[in-house]
């Protein structure tokens, strides 16, 4: 597995390590993530399978016979964001999906990153992106980082990309962040800052972006589809849970203490602390 640079998203004190989706058609969705996203199988269980890159598990897919299709306004996943090592790898993946006629939902230059958006066959959102070097990020006096949503020149990205055979996502690909649909932004600010100890790094109308280590964001939360929505139900398709891993164990202990103070139930299984967030989304905390 590639050793990441010191300022990489997953080298920060806390970062998003894994995403777990409940799907209706497990074989079809799994084969899509392998063929289109370039993930490889790592582990199979009775109810699902885990996929990843170069031995790093990134995505678990499970299926439940009684899973109800989540409504569009339900709290849950906006997108899982796969961070590729560099612009060349983003271009190589773009060429791959172009040759496979995969429809895109958008493409943006966020100043700190370049991002391409699409959905999997069951409508789960995906972002594939590369970060610009941190020296090019514009930190503001309040500690936040300047971000924007500008058009991304996909033709230039495609033209610059190596045209050799594509054999899956490059070693070093990781989940850079996860973007959630929540019901209330002040509640999200209180949870991700006050409980998990993340910093507010950027705001946008109807959205907040949180991170550790001054990364642009490890977690995004918006109310664009889900303002005031009731809690997510346990038997829905989509995001069952995601994992925040702490490189700094003291920050995990601080988060657990904050959860206890708020009387939010936490179940421990080995090194994994599992809970349900204020919107009904599963969350695992690990160090």
């Amino acid at each position: 597995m590639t050793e990441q640079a010191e300022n990489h998203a997953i080298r920060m004190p806390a970062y998003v390590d894994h995403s777990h989706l409940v799907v209706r058609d497990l074989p079809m969705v799994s084969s899509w993530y392998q063929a289109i996203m370039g993930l490889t199988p790592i582990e199979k269980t009775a109810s699902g399978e885990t996929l990843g890159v170069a031995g790093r598990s990134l995505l678990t897919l499970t299926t439940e016979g009684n899973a109800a299709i989540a409504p569009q306004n339900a709290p849950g996943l906006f997108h899982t964001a796969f961070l590729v090592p560099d612009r060349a790898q983003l271009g190589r993946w773009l060429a791959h999906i172009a040759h496979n006629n995969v429809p895109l939902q958008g493409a943006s230059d966020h100043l700190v990153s370049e991002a391409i958006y699409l959905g999997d066959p069951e409508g789960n959102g995906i972002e594939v992106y590369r970060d610009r070097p941190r020296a090019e990020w514009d930190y503001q006096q309040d500690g936040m980082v300047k971000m924007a949503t500008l058009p991304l020149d996909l033709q230039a990205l495609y033209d610059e990309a190596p045209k050799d055979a594509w054999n899956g996502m490059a070693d070093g690909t990781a989940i850079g962040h996860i973007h959630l649909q929540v019901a209330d932004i002040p509640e999200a600010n209180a949870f991700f800052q006050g409980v998990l100890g993340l910093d507010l790094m950027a705001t946008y109308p109807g959205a907040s972006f949180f991170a550790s280590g001054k990364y642009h964001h490890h977690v995004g939360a918006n109310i664009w589809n889900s303002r005031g929505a009731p809690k997510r139900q346990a038997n829905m398709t989509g995001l069952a849970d995601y994992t925040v891993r702490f490189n700094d164990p003291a920050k995990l202990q601080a988060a657990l203490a904050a959860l206890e103070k708020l009387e939010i139930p936490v179940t421990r299984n080995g090194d994994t602390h599992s809970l349900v967030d204020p919107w009904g989304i599963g969350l695992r905390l690990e160090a």
Side-chain angles (χ1 to χ4, degrees), residues 94-116:
L94 174 63
H96 162 67
I97 61 168
H99 299 159
N100 284 274
N101 298 312
V102 177
L104 297 180
Q105 296 176 347
S108 297
D109 178 345
H110 292 304
L111 302 181
V112 295
S113 64
E114 294 179 310
I116 300 172

Side-chain angles (χ1 to χ4, degrees), residues 193-245:
Q193 290 181 275
V195 179
L196 295 191
L198 303 179
D199 297 319
L200 181 65
M201 293 304 298
T203 60
Y204 197 77
S208 289
F209 300 90
F210 312 92
S212 72
K214 296 300 179 183
Y215 189 61
H216 54 74
H217 68 297
H218 288 106
V219 177
N222 76 61
I223 55 169
W224 301 328
N225 299 316
S226 52
R227 181 193 300 269
K231 280 190 176 183
R232 179 180 186 82
Q233 299 302 303
N235 64 336
M236 285 180 175
T237 58
L239 185 65
D241 58 72
Y242 65 102
T243 302
V244 173
R245 185 174 295 277

Side-chain angles (χ1 to χ4, degrees), residues 119-180:
D120 76 11
E122 294 196 359
N124 296 294
I126 297 169
E127 174 182 340
V128 180
Y129 76 110
R130 71 100 180 182
D131 277 333
R132 285 197 168 90
R134 280 216 195 187
E136 299 178 16
W137 299 6
D138 184 5
Y139 287 99
Q140 309 293 292
Q141 285 189 340
D142 58 8
M144 294 194 200
V145 65
K146 187 176 181 181
M147 295 171 64
T149 300
L150 306 174
L152 178 61
D153 188 342
L154 288 176
Q155 188 63 52
L157 185 62
Y158 177 89
D159 291 343
E160 293 172 24
K163 297 303 188 288
D164 53 345
W166 190 80
N167 296 310
M169 283 294 189
D171 187 3
T173 298
I175 291 181
H177 65 270
I178 196 161
H179 194 147
L180 306 173

Side-chain angles (χ1 to χ4, degrees), residues 25-46:
D25 189 335
L26 178 63
M28 183 268 291
V29 176
S30 176
S31 64
W32 186 90
Y33 274 97
Q34 292 176 57
I36 302 305
M37 296 300 297
L39 306 184
T40 54
I42 292 176
E43 181 183 7
K44 288 199 175 188
T45 64

Side-chain angles (χ1 to χ4, degrees), residues 1-71:
M1 228 184 299
T2 294
E3 178 72 8
Q4 310 289 3
E6 285 188 7
N7 62 2
H8 190 276
I10 69 171
R11 295 286 299 275
M12 298 301 96
Y15 65 99
V16 175
D17 189 42
H18 199 86
S19 181
H20 170 202
L21 305 178
V22 173
V23 299
R24 299 287 289 252
D25 189 335
L26 178 63
M28 183 268 291
V29 176
S30 176
S31 64
W32 186 90
Y33 274 97
Q34 292 176 57
I36 302 305
M37 296 300 297
L39 306 184
T40 54
I42 292 176
E43 181 183 7
K44 288 199 175 188
T45 64
S47 62
E49 53 191 89
T50 296
L51 307 173
V53 175
R56 178 189 293 280
S57 65
L58 301 178
L59 179 69
T60 293
L61 303 171
T62 58
T63 189
E64 299 175 13
N66 65 341
I69 296 175

